[in-house]
Amino acid sequence: MSAQADGDRPAKPGMVARVAAVLRSFDEHHRQLPLTAISRRAGLPLSTTHRVIADLVNEGLLEHAGSEYVVGRTVWEVGLLAPVEATLRKKASPFLHDLYAATPSTIHLAVRDGTQVLYLERLRGQTSVEIVSDVGSTLPLHATGVGKVLLAHAPGDIQQQVLANLTPVTPYTITDARALDRELRQIRRDDWARTNDEMTIGASSVAVPIRRGGEVVAAVGAVLDSQSGDHGRALAALQVAARAIGRRL
């Protein structure tokens, strides 16, 4: 009887799953968290969360920030060893710096991470507008230039997930699924994307895909002042850089 009862109980997550749940409780909008918030966001008991956090702190995967916790540098250092990050960032670097030197805008290199856009590199121009992206951070695919490029070339199931959950970031973020779907088709036709005040008021962006063979593996973009007239020049420079990066992959 007891064996049957035990069999009916849901299995407890293993140690790796518990560690992953704790680390995933941190994101762009939750960079620093107390124990109780980590426990709630990870879906783990408080005592279990405390034990996991203690081990992660000992290994440098989490760090103390007063009475709260932040992701440790070790996580980022290990993440940089992933093939796409290590290879792409290294081979794209000289072209990104050329773009940065040629324009006052902020330059982004990004890949898709599920239903988010993950920023691998950011070079910020001296006269750039204020933006919220940072290296290693994720933002919504539907509200960013590089994100729209990656979404336009994402598998159909990913597109459907995003289109079903178009949350507004600013009053100008596209939240109508049909309108965004039309824009994604246009992006595939034109091979570039644009945003205007959709992620940050006062900021617009243009972005293009980076291809390895015929497959879109990343996107490169420039963020400019919404009133800037440099979008055409930035787009031309991005297209040249994207082709050059793709040839090196």
Side-chain angles (χ1 to χ4, degrees):
M1 188 73 176
S2 61
Q4 177 67 37
D6 286 346
D8 291 339
R9 293 190 191 124
K12 293 182 179 179
M15 176 54 72
V16 173
R18 294 196 290 269
V19 168
V22 167
L23 292 176
R24 286 174 178 153
S25 66
F26 295 88
D27 60 27
E28 170 66 17
H29 304 292
H30 301 86
R31 294 173 177 268
Q32 184 170 316
L33 293 168
L35 171 63
T36 53
I38 297 173
S39 173
R40 183 181 68 255
R41 289 173 59 80
L44 297 172
L46 198 61
S47 58
T48 300
T49 306
H50 185 271
R51 289 195 298 272
V52 173
I53 287 176
D55 288 340
L56 293 176
V57 169
N58 287 337
E59 297 299 329
L61 298 173
L62 290 182
E63 297 176 359
H64 288 285
S67 61
E68 299 185 338
Y69 299 91
V70 296
V71 173
R73 188 175 183 85
T74 300
V75 173
W76 177 240
E77 291 173 345
V78 171
L80 291 178
L81 299 177
V84 64
E85 281 83 355
T87 302
L88 184 55
R89 290 178 79 242
K90 181 177 179 179
K91 294 189 175 182
S93 181
F95 304 102
L96 299 180
H97 281 85
D98 286 346
L99 284 169
Y100 175 73
T103 174
S105 61
T106 294
I107 303 301
H108 284 143
L109 175 69
V111 295
R112 184 176 60 83
D113 182 15
T115 58
Q116 301 279 302
V117 56
L118 170 64
Y119 290 86
L120 301 184
E121 190 62 273
R122 185 189 79 164
L123 300 177
R124 189 168 187 272
Q126 293 182 351
T127 60
S128 299
V129 294
E130 290 296 326
I131 54 175
V132 296
S133 63
D134 202 356
V135 175
S137 68
T138 57
L139 290 175
L141 285 168
H142 69 284
T144 61
V146 286
K148 285 184 180 181
V149 166
L150 296 167
L151 180 59
H153 295 280
D157 60 329
I158 296 294
Q159 292 186 13
Q160 290 306 311
Q161 288 181 52
V162 174
L163 291 171
N165 187 33
L166 296 176
T167 54
V169 182
T170 76
Y172 302 98
T173 307
I174 298 175
T175 56
D176 182 277
R178 290 184 179 179
L180 183 57
D181 189 48
R182 287 194 299 270
E183 185 169 337
L184 296 179
R185 290 198 296 270
Q186 174 107 25
I187 290 168
R188 288 191 289 271
R189 286 195 301 268
D190 297 344
D191 217 29
W192 65 279
R194 180 174 179 174
T195 64
N196 194 37
D197 296 328
E198 295 167 49
M199 188 71 228
T200 303
I201 298 295
S204 63
S205 65
V206 288
V208 300
I210 296 173
R211 289 180 171 84
R212 180 173 55 202
E215 178 188 6
V216 173
V217 295
V220 60
V223 181
L224 308 94
D225 188 291
S226 294
Q227 305 304 316
S228 171
D230 294 335
H231 293 82
R233 185 175 68 177
L235 176 59
L238 288 168
Q239 289 169 331
V240 171
R243 287 193 292 268
I245 295 168
R247 286 194 292 268
R248 296 192 63 181
L249 295 180

